Amino acid sequence: MKLYRTRIPAIARMVIEEFANDGSLEVLPENRVEAETDLVAIMEEYLRRDMELRDAVREHMSTRGVPYDRYGKVRSAMAQEAGHPTGNEVERFLARQFVENFMISRFIEEVFADDAALMKRIRTVLESFDVDETAIRDEARDKVKNLEEGTVDYEIALSHAVKEVKKRHGLLVERSR
C-alpha cells in the first residue's frame, strides 16, 4: 500500500467515525477531532520515516554507483534493516499503531473490541483507500504514447504525466511556490 498525504485526514475520520458509531470505541463528540488528529500524526510520522528512507536509499545508491534499476531491491533491504514497513506490511503496521494509540489516548474513553478485530477492520478501511498504481501508470503512458519508450524524453514526460494523473485523482496537491 502506498499512503498518500491527501488521503490521511479521510482515513483518520473514517476509522474514528466507524468505530465510534458501532460501539467499538467510546469517543466523546468533543474529542473526535483530537482522536482523528492522533491517527493523522501516526500516518504523518510513517510518511516522514518513509521519506528519510527514500533519501537514504538515493544517497546510498549515488555514493556506491548502484544503477537505478536496483532501487527496489536496495530500498527493500534498507527498509528491512531499519525496521521500516513497506508494501503489504504498511497496513499491518498502521493498524497496530492505531490500536496501540486507542489504548493510551486520552481522547478515547473506552475500547470495547479486541485488538485483532480492530486491526482487521482498520486494515479494511486502509485497503479502501488503496490506489491502483498500475492504472495510474497506464493512464499516464497513454498520454505519452507519441514518444519512443526507453528514451530520456519519454521518461521525463512519463514522470510529468504520472504527476498530472495523480493530481487529477486528488492524490497530490499543487505546492505553492
Side-chain angles (χ1 to χ4, degrees), residues 7-177:
R7 299 268 176 108
I8 287 176
I11 292 170
R13 191 174 317 108
M14 182 180 276
V15 168
I16 295 299
E17 187 175 301
E18 268 191 32
F19 288 10
N21 289 345
D22 76 2
S24 297
L25 299 177
E26 182 181 343
V27 184
L28 298 176
E30 62 269 19
N31 288 337
R32 279 197 179 190
V33 171
E34 289 85 356
E36 291 172 14
T37 301
D38 285 348
L39 300 186
V40 166
I42 290 167
M43 291 182 277
E44 292 282 350
E45 176 61 15
Y46 168 79
L47 286 180
R48 187 193 64 73
R49 288 182 55 209
D50 200 58
M51 188 71 72
E52 281 181 359
L53 174 65
R54 188 192 71 188
D55 293 344
V57 169
R58 287 180 177 171
E59 178 68 24
H60 174 86
M61 292 176 69
S62 173
T63 58
R64 289 169 179 76
V66 178
Y68 188 76
D69 65 346
R70 304 237 338 126
Y71 179 84
K73 288 187 185 294
V74 173
R75 185 179 194 283
S76 293
M78 289 180 72
Q80 186 172 12
E81 188 178 299
H84 182 71
T86 59
N88 294 335
E89 290 299 311
V90 173
E91 294 157 353
R92 199 171 285 118
F93 170 80
L94 290 174
R96 191 171 40 254
Q97 294 291 308
F98 287 7
V99 170
E100 287 175 12
N101 177 73
F102 296 157
M103 301 304 173
I104 63 169
S105 176
R106 61 189 178 117
F107 304 114
I108 306 286
E109 299 298 313
E110 191 67 50
V111 178
F112 294 107
D114 66 39
D115 292 4
L118 289 171
M119 287 179 61
K120 183 176 181 180
R121 292 192 42 229
I122 291 166
R123 289 180 64 194
T124 300
V125 170
L126 291 168
E127 288 167 2
S128 75
F129 284 90
D130 200 10
V131 174
D132 185 354
E133 297 290 331
T134 303
I136 287 173
R137 285 194 67 79
D138 289 346
E139 190 175 332
R141 273 193 202 97
D142 284 346
K143 294 181 176 296
V144 296
K145 61 185 170 187
N146 58 323
L147 297 172
E148 185 179 338
E149 204 168 326
T151 64
V152 173
D153 288 340
Y154 175 84
E155 294 302 325
I156 292 170
L158 180 62
S159 175
H160 289 296
V162 167
K163 284 181 183 174
E164 288 304 314
V165 170
K166 286 180 177 183
K167 283 179 192 171
R168 199 169 76 262
H169 288 279
L171 301 173
L172 299 177
V173 292
E174 192 73 41
R175 291 187 179 181
S176 57
R177 295 176 190 211

